[in-house]
Amino acid sequence: QVDLVESGGGLVRPGGSLRLSCAASGSIFSINDMGWYRQAPGKERELVASITAGGDENYADSVKGRFTISRDNANRAVYLQMNSLKPEDTAVYYCHARTIVPYTTILTDQWGQGTQVTVSS
């Protein structure tokens, strides 16, 4: 049993900031890439940002220069700092982790339950 729990979502005005957090709990496992995805009403889930275990970052074009992803491997956590938020950023944001089952080479995907981000005046 491995859980990813997101926090930090909420309601913010355009131009404001939010910081999302995601912490892994449960059994010990190896984490490779981690990332944040989002899904807006009527839209498919899309990648927002990802980060490798070594710290290499990737961002969707729509958030480049505004969002920053980071991770804390010791605490098995990933964060998303969101600045200059726009109404089009409104979505449910999901934490994701690509993992390896302990003592195996089996790859698995872990997902959080999602946290709502609403950007509105």
Side-chain angles (χ1 to χ4, degrees):
Q1 180 71 26
V2 177
D3 294 317
L4 298 177
V5 181
E6 303 103 333
S7 63
L11 175 64
V12 65
R13 292 182 177 274
S17 298
L18 286 173
R19 180 176 171 85
L20 304 184
S21 299
C22 174
S25 63
S27 62
I28 298 174
F29 59 96
S30 297
I31 302 175
N32 295 120
D33 294 350
M34 300 188 77
W36 291 92
Y37 291 71
R38 67 186 181 188
Q39 187 166 23
K43 302 281 189 176
E44 295 185 354
R45 187 173 298 188
E46 65 174 349
L47 174 69
V48 177
S50 64
I51 185 168
T52 68
D56 294 323
E57 304 163 30
N58 182 63
Y59 299 92
D61 288 341
S62 60
V63 307
K64 285 182 178 178
R66 300 188 297 120
F67 292 9
T68 302
I69 190 170
S70 61
R71 65 189 292 167
D72 182 343
N73 291 332
N75 292 316
R76 307 175 84 193
V78 63
Y79 309 94
L80 186 68
Q81 178 66 46
M82 305 185 294
N83 299 325
S84 302
L85 283 161
K86 305 175 180 179
E88 50 263 46
D89 294 318
T90 296
V92 177
Y93 284 70
Y94 298 91
C95 178
H96 169 262
R98 185 70 163 173
T99 64
I100 302 175
V101 176
Y103 313 113
T104 77
T105 57
I106 300 173
L107 297 173
T108 64
D109 291 295
Q110 308 291 335
W111 292 92
Q113 293 296 307
T115 184
Q116 177 70 48
V117 172
T118 302
V119 185
S120 176
S121 61

